[in-house]
Amino acid sequence: MESVMAVVCLVLTFTSQSNSSLNRVLAVALLCMGLFSVLFYPAFFERQLSKAVKKTFDQNEYFHNDVTLEFLEDKIFETSCVGTGSVAYKDLQKVYRLGDCLILRMSKEGGYVLPLKAIGEEKIEQIEELVRRKMDEAELAEAEELDRAADALAAQEDAGAAGSGDPRS
């Protein structure tokens, strides 16, 4: 943005009747700022982001200790140095492979990364198949529950309309 403004200022400065040195100084300053932001900022931002991620990783015990995942009938149970927790299969948003890992995504910010080298290809395939099946079952159960709720609501509306003497029913 600064570069565009600088070019506009330079063009206006050299095409206008007044040759104000202030306009030239402003145009050159804007041009320098634009070049600085275009050349330096991407490298600076990436380096700062990398430092922040490394610092967070180094300070978090969770990333330095083993995590145990148990794939139960209705949920995934986690045990770690932080404590225990569970995630229902219906709460998983996506299951996919990324490089040598299986990703179980729960949200944009959270999920599990299962490394192939720590678990083995055969076990990863079993886990992937199990999780996909459980997610499909949970989605089907949710759809059936919505259908039952809609049927119950329709029955209530029918019963209410029949008892009201409404000629439209």
Side-chain angles (χ1 to χ4, degrees):
M1 186 67 187
E2 292 91 355
S3 299
V4 173
M5 290 177 63
V7 169
V8 169
C9 282
L10 282 172
V11 168
L12 289 176
T13 299
F14 291 118
T15 59
S16 70
Q17 295 295 335
S18 70
N19 286 331
S20 170
S21 59
L22 178 62
N23 287 345
R24 288 185 181 151
V25 169
L26 286 174
V28 169
L30 282 171
L31 187 59
C32 289
M33 287 172 36
L35 289 173
F36 176 78
S37 66
V38 167
L39 299 176
F40 179 72
Y41 185 74
F44 176 76
F45 179 73
E46 186 175 325
R47 193 175 75 231
Q48 290 301 101
L49 185 61
S50 177
K51 282 183 183 179
V53 168
K54 184 175 179 351
K55 181 179 176 184
T56 301
F57 181 82
D58 289 343
Q59 291 177 348
N60 194 331
E61 278 187 53
Y62 183 85
F63 297 121
H64 297 285
N65 293 296
D66 289 342
V67 175
T68 303
L69 297 178
E70 294 179 63
F71 295 87
L72 305 174
E73 193 61 33
D74 58 340
K75 63 187 172 194
I76 301 170
F77 187 76
E78 172 190 356
T79 305
S80 70
C81 64
V82 177
T84 60
S86 63
V87 176
Y89 291 107
K90 67 181 178 81
D91 293 334
L92 292 174
Q93 290 183 349
K94 192 173 183 180
V95 177
Y96 58 96
R97 287 196 181 217
L98 184 63
D100 290 338
C101 296
L102 179 66
I103 310 294
L104 308 177
R105 192 174 85 193
M106 293 179 285
S107 65
K108 289 183 179 179
E109 297 85 27
Y112 296 111
V113 178
L114 307 178
L116 174 66
K117 64 182 177 184
I119 298 171
E121 179 66 36
E122 185 177 325
K123 206 57 144 168
I124 284 282
E125 287 176 4
Q126 291 173 352
I127 291 169
E128 184 176 12
E129 189 274 324
L130 170 74
V131 170
R132 287 186 190 282
R133 184 170 40 85
K134 291 296 184 179
M135 286 174 65
D136 290 343
E137 289 173 7
E139 190 175 310
L140 183 60
E142 188 175 337
E144 289 172 351
E145 188 174 322
L146 287 173
D147 284 345
R148 284 192 296 275
D151 291 344
L153 184 59
Q156 283 179 341
E157 287 177 356
D158 288 345
S164 69
D166 188 355
R168 291 180 282 162
S169 59

